[in-house]
Amino acid sequence: MAYLQHQFERYFIDNGAASWWLTGLKSTLLITVIALAIGVVLGFTVGIIRSVHEQTGKLKLANSICKVYLSIIRGTPSMVQLLIFNFIIFASVSLNEIFVGGIAFGINSGAYVAEIVRSGIMSIDKGQMEAGRSLGLSAGKTMQLIIIPQAFKNVLPALINEMIVLLKETAIIGYIGTTDLTKAATLVQSRTYSAYVPLLTAALFYWLLVSILTFFMGKVERRMRKNDR
């Protein structure tokens, strides 16, 4: 019993370990929340613009800007984007690295959310738009009240998967000096000269966070299906 207590204190309390783990967990959650908020708003905006252009031919300039954004973000590694945001874009601005990471990951995630949303909107039968217009709704109102709610239900599993990927991608935030769960594990490892417990602990934390996110999003998905019935 004394041995287990000693090992627990060694990996989770002594030499600042407790502070690292708590800070790492807080940073990971905060970065994920910021990135999710940015990614969802940006992704839906870009996805709707792209869908409207494909269906009506309108918004040509906005669609061209969106295509450039998608090409750049999807064509470059997220770690390189993170470094560019921290050491180039925000180099002269006194901004906390957590917010820098949240913005970088959010913009990265927005590109993938945009394509998910676009595919969901394009999967809705064109008759739905015509039905909405025949009821006297404008194209915007039809999109808002009829098309998007149906598309959202169709793409919800893919959006959940993107949220999970985003949560795990935050593990590279340590490259700009922020202590997240992965960085906390490496700091504990450097003090204890043992990689086994710290890295497995970090993996366990990520697994628990993903499991909790999956559980709650699964409940949302089941409720939406229940409402359909």
Side-chain angles (χ1 to χ4, degrees):
M1 191 68 181
Y3 173 78
L4 292 177
Q5 181 179 352
H6 171 71
Q7 292 300 310
F8 178 83
E9 292 177 352
R10 177 189 179 197
Y11 290 109
F12 300 101
I13 298 178
D14 294 343
N15 299 316
S19 176
W20 291 333
W21 288 118
L22 290 174
T23 301
L25 179 60
K26 177 183 175 182
S27 298
T28 295
L29 291 174
L30 187 56
I31 293 167
T32 302
V33 169
I34 295 172
L36 277 176
I38 295 173
V40 168
V41 173
L42 182 59
F44 269 82
T45 302
V46 173
I48 291 171
I49 290 173
R50 297 266 291 135
S51 301
V52 169
H53 174 74
E54 291 188 16
Q55 291 178 339
T56 66
K58 298 178 180 180
L59 304 176
K60 290 184 179 180
L61 177 60
N63 181 67
S64 298
I65 295 173
C66 291
K67 289 178 70 175
V68 172
Y69 158 70
L70 293 173
S71 175
I72 293 174
I73 296 300
R74 298 173 70 194
T76 55
S78 56
M79 189 175 78
V80 174
Q81 295 169 20
L82 176 64
L83 296 176
I84 290 173
F85 271 91
N86 188 66
F87 295 113
I88 298 178
I89 297 176
F90 294 113
S92 60
V93 180
S94 180
L95 189 63
N96 189 292
E97 286 83 1
I98 290 178
F99 291 102
V100 173
I103 294 170
F105 288 123
I107 291 175
N108 177 273
S109 180
Y112 297 94
V113 172
E115 289 301 282
I116 292 171
V117 171
R118 185 184 69 85
S119 65
I121 293 175
M122 298 304 294
S123 69
I124 304 300
D125 190 274
K126 292 182 178 180
Q128 297 288 321
M129 176 64 77
E130 296 171 359
R133 298 304 300 275
S134 68
L135 293 173
L137 298 175
S138 65
K141 281 293 183 181
T142 302
M143 181 71 73
Q144 177 185 348
L145 300 176
I146 298 176
I147 305 299
I148 292 180
Q150 295 182 67
F152 181 75
K153 294 175 185 178
N154 292 342
V155 303
L156 185 57
L159 287 175
I160 295 173
N161 185 65
E162 173 59 26
M163 292 178 186
I164 292 171
V165 170
L166 177 59
L167 173 61
K168 293 186 293 185
E169 272 194 347
T170 62
I172 64 174
I173 194 69
Y175 281 96
I176 63 172
T178 298
T179 302
D180 69 320
L181 286 173
T182 303
K183 183 67 173 181
T186 59
L187 288 172
V188 174
Q189 176 186 347
S190 68
R191 293 295 179 89
T192 60
Y193 302 102
S194 173
Y196 185 81
V197 174
L199 294 181
L200 287 182
T201 300
L204 178 62
F205 271 123
Y206 282 113
W207 176 74
L208 288 173
L209 291 175
V210 168
S211 298
I212 292 170
L213 176 62
T214 303
F215 172 76
F216 284 108
M217 294 307 296
K219 292 190 69 173
V220 172
E221 186 176 2
R222 286 192 296 272
R223 176 164 293 187
M224 294 180 69
R225 289 176 179 174
K226 183 178 180 181
N227 290 339
D228 284 343
R229 292 195 294 268

